[in-house]
Amino acid sequence: MSDLLPFGHVGYEAFLVFLSFVYTAKVRDFPVEVSSCVHNVCGHEACRPAIEFSLELMCASSVFGMPDLVSILQRQLIDFVVKALADDVIPILVVAFHCQLSQLIDQCIERVAHSDLDSISLEKALPDEVVEKIKILRRNSQHCCDPNMPAVDPLREKRIRRIHKALDSDDVELMKLLLTESDVTLDEANALHYAAAYCDPKVVAEVLGLGLADVNLRDSRGYTVLHIAVKRKEPSIIILLLSNGARASEPTLEGESAVSICRRLTRPKDYHTKTEQGQEANKDQICIDVLEREMKRNPMAGEASISSQITPNDLHMRLLKLENRVAFARLLFPAEAKLAMAISQADTTPEFAGISSLKGSSGNLMEVDLNETPTVQNKRLLSRLESLVKTVSMGRHYFPHCSEVLDKFLQVDLPDLCVLETGTTDEQKIKRQRFLELKEEVQKAFDKDKADKNLSGLSSSSSSLPPKKVGRKSKVEYEWISKAFGPKRKTGISNAYLAYKTGICCENAKRTRTDG
């Protein structure tokens, strides 16, 4: 369908409803799991999922020339325009424009023109000719209501737009230069709102890093930066804002919290989707779960500083322990670990690879980089340690269940990995079987804990450890834990140590055991 449509999107469920109309000339009931939201007090008369499902059907019926269905859907969408929030009218207007539905276009333009939607949002989402019609209607309306209304300062507007264009180009340095050359501040330009809505998460982090913007500032519509970010449903930006002091409980002028906004945008199908082992968790699940947890707890305590007086041996052991933990987190909970590492900037520091930092090093503990002074090496390792500590702290704060499962896995399961390859073939088989049983026990405890606390937000990539298997498949299931640490990944002592601990018979692991 996507290849056949010049615009829009048609999902599987919408295609079935469309196909049913083709054969029966009747519109069947819309599937609740894709035409409603997960907000517990929403009547689903005009929430975003209900609108988007109708728009999917409109795209298909318009392109394939089904005028009867187009007429039915247009009447429904006109009803949505009256009831929906102004933001939700924008996607209706876009589809109406492409489908050339003049009556629906006029209704949408009238509604948007009399709303509080800012011109920047309109220009980002709508065709130029539609934006121009809205602006003309607004000017005429303002002149009739108050002919003495002061005009907008064009020079100030131009400077603000230049700041936004710098953000569009991911050029924070240019933005800083523009700020120094004008009397416009970051808050006056709503630069953080703009970055949260349209820019890469790294740009949001850089703007926050300047320390010049109020993370809880409200724009002209009464929205904080977090309110804007949840509409985008990008978990990394949401966690970034929360970790920098954004208040999750702050309501909009209509009384909506960030989590309620996010719930009104999320379909049950997406929210309740279960992911298989190794797959990334659904973004909708993560966003809602993070926001709900933040609403229930106090802000995270400040990070403990790491003493530069720590001994080299202790430093290496702590680094090795944290590297192992983060490595297993990335394997068991890829989406959650990726988020925690990104916010903590752990992916920007070099991975600890024993004493040697030489490229292509096999990870031998006896190798030393003679070009690196002890002071430089200590600074590099402390920087890595700080980022890993922050990663683990971030994971415990925003993903407590995942961290709890990981704690149990490292404390109960991992020690058995050291002896899985010892003993006779039958003994090794029994140990592997016990290894799988332990993982099942951890999973059951995790599920029970979730049920007790009635927290179903993160049914996670985290939520599927491998099922219990017997016979030859036991080894296959066992090896999922160590596939990331094979001999092809020569990233140093950390991974070699893990390879040895997980029983992989590779030269790198044997060498590490001998030299260490």
Side-chain angles (χ1 to χ4, degrees):
M1 289 293 288
S2 298
D3 294 337
L4 295 172
L5 295 174
F7 61 87
H9 163 75
V10 179
Y12 177 72
E13 293 82 1
F15 174 71
L16 292 182
V17 174
F18 170 73
L19 201 61
S20 174
F21 183 85
V22 171
Y23 282 98
T24 66
K26 295 180 181 179
V27 181
R28 68 155 76 166
D29 292 338
F30 293 174
V32 176
E33 68 272 13
V34 290
S35 62
S36 63
C37 67
V38 293
H39 197 287
N40 54 4
V41 296
C42 180
H44 312 304
E45 295 180 345
C47 57
R48 180 63 74 89
I51 291 172
E52 289 180 342
F53 190 82
S54 295
L55 292 177
E56 290 181 26
L57 281 175
M58 177 61 84
C59 291
S61 56
S62 176
V63 169
F64 291 101
M66 306 291 293
D68 292 342
L69 186 54
V70 168
S71 179
I72 293 170
L73 292 170
Q74 183 170 213
R75 289 196 297 272
Q76 184 184 49
L77 289 169
I78 288 174
D79 186 50
F80 282 153
V81 171
V82 177
K83 298 177 180 178
L85 298 172
D87 300 82
D88 296 332
V89 175
I90 296 299
I92 299 176
L93 183 48
V94 172
V95 172
F97 175 80
H98 286 295
C99 295
Q100 300 179 354
L101 305 172
S102 56
Q103 184 182 359
L104 185 56
I105 291 173
D106 292 341
Q107 293 277 346
C108 290
I109 289 178
E110 184 73 21
R111 173 69 198 284
V112 171
H114 291 90
S115 73
D116 58 357
L117 287 170
D118 60 273
S119 57
I120 293 174
S121 300
L122 299 180
E123 290 168 6
K124 282 284 187 180
L126 297 172
D128 293 340
E129 60 185 274
V130 174
V131 173
E132 190 58 35
K133 288 181 180 179
I134 293 171
K135 287 182 177 180
I136 292 172
L137 196 57
R138 281 182 168 180
R139 284 197 295 267
N140 294 337
S141 176
Q142 289 173 356
H143 182 72
C144 293
C145 296
D146 186 3
N148 298 319
M149 181 177 289
V152 177
D153 183 355
L155 179 59
R156 190 176 184 80
E157 285 293 305
K158 183 178 180 180
R159 288 172 174 171
I160 290 174
R161 287 179 180 272
R162 289 176 67 187
I163 291 172
H164 292 170
K165 285 182 179 179
L167 290 172
D168 283 332
S169 303
D170 297 349
D171 197 338
V172 177
E173 291 300 319
L174 175 59
M175 183 198 72
K176 289 164 63 177
L177 182 62
L178 292 171
L179 289 171
T180 58
E181 293 179 348
S182 69
D183 59 348
V184 179
T185 66
L186 275 181
D187 287 345
E188 290 171 341
N190 285 321
L192 196 51
H193 287 80
Y194 187 89
Y198 306 112
C199 300
D200 188 272
K202 290 184 178 180
V203 176
V204 179
E206 289 183 40
V207 175
L208 282 169
L210 297 177
L212 301 175
D214 180 2
V215 74
N216 290 299
L217 177 73
R218 292 181 180 271
D219 62 12
S220 59
R221 303 181 64 201
Y223 288 149
T224 66
V225 183
L226 186 60
H227 295 148
I228 298 296
V230 296
K231 294 180 180 181
R232 184 174 171 180
K233 292 195 289 187
E234 177 54 56
S236 59
I237 294 179
I238 292 173
I239 293 179
L240 190 61
L241 293 172
L242 291 173
S243 62
N244 279 272
R247 293 189 289 269
S249 58
E250 199 78 17
T252 64
L253 298 180
E254 294 78 24
E256 293 276 359
S257 66
V259 70
S260 65
I261 294 173
C262 199
R263 279 186 168 276
R264 287 190 189 279
L265 297 172
T266 304
R267 308 181 305 176
K269 178 183 177 181
D270 299 324
Y271 180 69
H272 297 297
T273 296
K274 290 186 178 180
T275 51
E276 298 300 324
Q277 176 263 315
Q279 293 181 352
E280 291 196 355
N282 188 284
K283 283 187 175 183
D284 301 85
Q285 295 173 336
I286 294 178
C287 290
I288 293 173
D289 190 76
V290 164
L291 290 166
E292 287 184 339
R293 292 187 192 284
E294 188 67 17
M295 293 279 282
K296 293 177 181 178
R297 68 171 71 218
N298 295 323
M300 183 168 53
E303 302 162 31
S305 59
I306 299 174
S307 171
S308 58
Q309 301 302 315
I310 185 172
T311 65
N313 286 340
D314 288 343
L315 177 59
H316 291 171
M317 289 305 295
R318 288 187 66 183
L319 275 169
L320 189 59
K321 182 178 178 180
L322 288 169
E323 289 284 9
N324 292 347
R325 181 185 179 88
V326 172
F328 278 113
R330 293 172 68 181
L331 196 62
L332 295 171
F333 318 111
E336 294 84 344
K338 183 179 178 182
L339 276 171
M341 291 186 70
I343 301 302
S344 307
Q345 298 184 332
D347 48 359
T348 63
T349 55
E351 183 179 349
F352 174 60
I355 294 177
S356 174
S357 61
L358 292 172
K359 275 191 173 183
S361 168
S362 64
N364 191 331
L365 278 170
M366 302 305 293
E367 293 181 3
V368 178
D369 182 1
L370 298 178
N371 295 319
E372 186 177 47
T373 65
T375 302
V376 173
Q377 182 192 81
N378 196 51
K379 184 177 180 181
R380 172 174 58 81
L381 296 182
L382 283 171
S383 175
R384 179 62 177 175
L385 183 61
E386 286 177 357
S387 66
L388 290 176
V389 168
K390 189 175 180 181
T391 298
V392 174
S393 176
M394 194 76 67
R396 291 191 186 282
H397 179 65
Y398 290 112
F399 309 111
H401 286 311
C402 298
S403 297
E404 188 177 326
V405 173
L406 189 60
D407 287 339
K408 291 178 181 178
F409 177 81
L410 292 174
Q411 292 169 9
V412 179
D413 289 0
L414 190 58
D416 276 9
L417 291 175
C418 301
V419 294
L420 277 174
E421 294 300 319
T422 62
T424 65
T425 303
D426 290 339
E427 289 174 343
Q428 291 178 25
K429 184 177 178 180
I430 292 171
K431 289 174 183 177
R432 289 198 184 97
Q433 187 66 34
R434 175 56 185 155
F435 173 75
L436 295 175
E437 290 172 357
L438 283 170
K439 289 204 295 292
E440 278 194 356
E441 289 172 11
V442 169
Q443 182 59 43
K444 288 177 182 177
F446 176 53
D447 292 340
K448 182 180 178 181
D449 186 46
K450 282 175 62 179
D452 289 343
K453 293 187 178 181
N454 196 25
L455 293 175
S456 58
L458 267 182
S459 72
S460 99
S461 55
S462 53
S463 65
S464 22
L465 294 174
K468 178 179 177 181
K469 301 213 177 177
V470 296
R472 292 179 58 193
K473 291 188 178 180
S474 294
K475 186 172 183 178
V476 175
E477 290 299 327
Y478 159 69
E479 287 178 345
W480 72 273
I481 193 71
S482 49
K483 63 183 179 182
F485 310 110
K488 292 183 179 179
R489 278 192 64 191
K490 295 183 179 179
T491 56
I493 181 63
S494 179
N495 289 334
Y497 175 78
L498 279 169
Y500 169 63
K501 292 280 278 185
T502 50
I504 296 177
C505 296
C506 63
E507 291 302 316
N508 202 25
K510 291 178 180 177
R511 187 162 53 247
T512 301
R513 180 185 180 189
T514 303
D515 296 337

